[in-house]
Amino acid sequence: MLEVEGLTVAYGRIVALHHLSLTVGAGEIVALVGANGAGKTTTLAAISGLLRPSAGHIRFLGQNLARVAPDTIVRLGIAHSPEGRRVFPGLTVDENLAVGAAGWRRFGQSIAADREKMYALFPRLRERRRQLAWSLSGGEQQMLAIGRALMARPKLLLLDEPSLGLAPMIIDQLFDAILAINAAGIAILLVEQNAALALEVSKRAYVLETGRVILEGMAATMLDDQRIRDAYLGG
């Protein structure tokens, strides 16, 4: 589904990604694991068209995404739930979800069925559908950010740090939802600070260090790898 080959991204003279390559197959959850500053968020931003690589190729369903605008990438089937949630604070929950459907919605076309799916996935959002996004808790904002991305009807969902700053009970709820999203046929590329949790829900994983892939393989195998345990799972 997704093929990234030799990806290099720089911020001025600072090279953030060095010839990075990865793949995501249909229906997979693939994790990107690494310390802060390893290049995980940069990788997602390049895939979604928010950053332009200086070298390498990104292909989605066989189509080269070079010089493709971010809104077109969304319409092709890639949605991005960014680090920090970035919901629209002055819009209600309903309105935030409606923004997510902008890529496919046409004048007069109803989004009610899609929005109902989001409320079934995240019942707490239904209770707060008329509230402004700024008034939601951190966990509720994260649910809204994921729901807004899903409103784009993606084939591939990019998730950046969904558990960041959240209570354990809310994290459990979010990851139950992530597994349900995947079970519905949506592939997921997951960046997650909780490496153990990311590996537990993923099929495969890539370990990034200073912008390079230093290890890749089956997630279950990595959970038992002493190097990974020492570096990312607290031994």
Side-chain angles (χ1 to χ4, degrees):
M1 178 174 278
L2 178 72
E3 299 173 284
V4 177
E5 182 180 1
L7 187 67
T8 299
V9 176
Y11 298 93
R13 296 183 178 181
I14 306 299
V15 179
L17 296 179
H18 302 263
H19 307 291
L20 180 144
S21 296
L22 62 83
T23 63
V24 180
E28 282 192 310
I29 301 180
V30 176
L32 291 183
V33 176
N36 289 338
K40 305 183 301 295
T41 293
T42 297
T43 300
L44 298 193
I47 293 168
S48 60
L50 301 174
L51 292 173
R52 292 302 177 196
S54 53
H57 303 282
I58 303 172
R59 297 181 182 86
F60 180 65
L61 297 174
Q63 180 167 343
N64 191 340
L65 298 186
R67 294 181 292 278
V68 176
D71 60 315
T72 302
I73 290 174
V74 173
R75 286 194 291 272
L76 290 173
I78 298 177
H80 188 168
S81 179
E83 181 182 9
R85 299 141 198 169
R86 300 192 185 182
V87 296
F88 298 105
L91 300 183
T92 65
V93 168
D94 267 354
E95 290 166 341
N96 268 273
L97 293 177
V99 170
W104 58 264
R105 187 183 188 186
R106 299 295 176 262
F107 181 75
Q109 188 172 1
S110 175
I111 63 170
D114 291 77
R115 193 152 48 192
E116 184 59 31
K117 290 178 183 177
M118 297 308 106
Y119 291 142
L121 183 65
F122 299 116
R124 191 172 298 193
L125 293 183
R126 187 195 301 276
E127 301 168 8
R128 289 153 175 74
R129 61 187 303 168
R130 306 300 183 196
Q131 286 185 221
L132 296 178
W134 68 262
S135 69
L136 303 178
S137 69
E140 291 162 354
Q141 289 188 11
Q142 185 63 69
M143 294 173 190
L144 181 55
I146 295 173
R148 182 183 59 190
L150 291 173
M151 288 292 291
R153 297 179 174 177
K155 300 177 181 71
L156 172 64
L157 178 62
L158 309 180
L159 280 179
D160 197 351
E161 301 287 11
S163 79
L164 188 63
L166 303 182
M169 184 174 68
I170 299 299
I171 293 172
D172 289 344
Q173 294 174 9
L174 279 173
F175 272 79
D176 285 345
I178 288 169
L179 289 172
I181 292 163
N182 180 245
I186 298 173
I188 297 172
L189 182 56
L190 173 65
V191 166
E192 171 53 51
Q193 60 164 354
N194 186 330
L197 185 55
L199 293 174
E200 285 173 7
V201 301
S202 300
K203 179 180 180 181
R204 296 187 299 110
Y206 296 84
V207 179
L208 272 61
E209 190 173 285
T210 60
R212 296 175 172 86
V213 173
I214 62 167
L215 189 65
E216 61 181 279
M218 303 303 292
T221 302
M222 289 191 184
L223 275 171
D224 293 329
D225 189 313
Q226 193 60 43
R227 294 170 298 170
I228 301 300
R229 299 191 67 84
D230 290 342
Y232 303 108
L233 307 182

